[in-house]
Amino acid sequence: MARIGGRNSFMAWVVGLGCAAVVTVLVALAVPAIPTGIQLIGDTLRGTASVPQAAGERVSVERATATPECRALYTEALWAQLTQRVGGDPVQDATPPVTVASGLSAALAPAVRVTCAFTAPNAGAIVTSVSDVAGDAADVAEATLLTAGFDCIGFGDGIRCTATTDAGVEEQIVRDGVWVATTYQGWRPDHYIERMAQQVWPG
């Protein structure tokens, strides 16, 4: 077969070897970046990278729920117990605290944070309101509630008053500028207030 004019076999070999050397160098430089690239792609697909949590750090109570303010009031176990009983999240709104103690709401002038109503089919309801009040509201609340027939005891730096009414059991907690008003109708989890206090007054 006739050779093509102007073609040099030696130069072709030199150029081929040079190209191979360049490709080898590029591959060698790229190999260390492969794991980083894979991780970056994975993080992008997941939407966000995980953030390590410091030892002893308080676990966030934010959850995939339509009632995040109510969710923040309860420990994990108590929330699970309540939502399982009612078959879902509570009704969350800004309804003022309920009490049979005449004049208590007017005296405390609460700024409602949230009211959470857990209503179980054929088993009653638990309604809790959390409100901000004046720092000295515990003394005012105790005097008013005792007059209304409540039994009151100390609760941290505040007071805890309970009464049985025609509607069920009513429990009023006023402590550190926070008023937690709860009514129980038909059911009441063990240590409801104590478990909630871990979230409302942490530490």
Side-chain angles (χ1 to χ4, degrees):
M1 180 181 292
R3 295 184 60 183
I4 300 174
R7 183 171 181 179
N8 189 310
S9 297
F10 176 73
M11 289 303 297
W13 274 101
V14 171
V15 172
L17 290 174
C19 291
V22 170
V23 171
T24 301
V25 171
L26 291 175
V27 170
L29 292 174
V31 166
I34 290 175
T36 301
I38 292 174
Q39 181 178 356
L40 180 61
I41 293 171
D43 291 342
T44 301
L45 293 175
R46 286 190 298 270
T48 180
S50 60
V51 179
Q53 182 176 327
E57 184 178 347
R58 187 175 178 81
V59 177
S60 172
V61 294
E62 294 182 2
R63 297 288 187 271
T65 173
T67 57
E69 290 81 8
C70 287
R71 176 64 188 88
L73 300 179
Y74 301 93
T75 62
E76 191 78 33
L78 182 55
W79 177 260
Q81 182 179 355
L82 292 168
T83 54
Q84 181 177 5
R85 174 111 184 196
V86 303
D89 283 4
V91 173
Q92 174 180 300
D93 56 29
T95 301
V98 173
T99 178
V100 296
S102 177
L104 182 60
S105 292
L108 299 187
V112 180
R113 294 185 191 174
V114 67
T115 294
C116 309
F118 292 90
T119 303
N122 304 316
I126 297 176
V127 180
T128 295
S129 297
V130 179
S131 306
D132 293 315
V133 292
D136 61 350
D139 294 335
V140 176
E142 183 175 20
T144 304
L145 290 167
L146 286 173
T147 301
F150 282 70
D151 295 321
C152 296
I153 60 174
F155 191 76
D157 294 329
I159 54 103
R160 175 180 184 174
C161 301
T162 307
T164 300
T165 71
D166 292 339
V169 176
E170 183 177 317
E171 194 161 26
Q172 307 293 343
I173 313 292
V174 183
R175 170 183 171 185
D176 301 326
V178 180
W179 177 15
V180 177
T182 301
T183 57
Y184 309 91
Q185 298 176 357
W187 60 295
R188 181 178 182 180
D190 292 338
H191 308 296
Y192 177 86
I193 287 297
E194 290 82 358
R195 295 155 76 184
M196 176 183 286
Q198 298 176 33
Q199 303 296 110
V200 179
W201 296 283

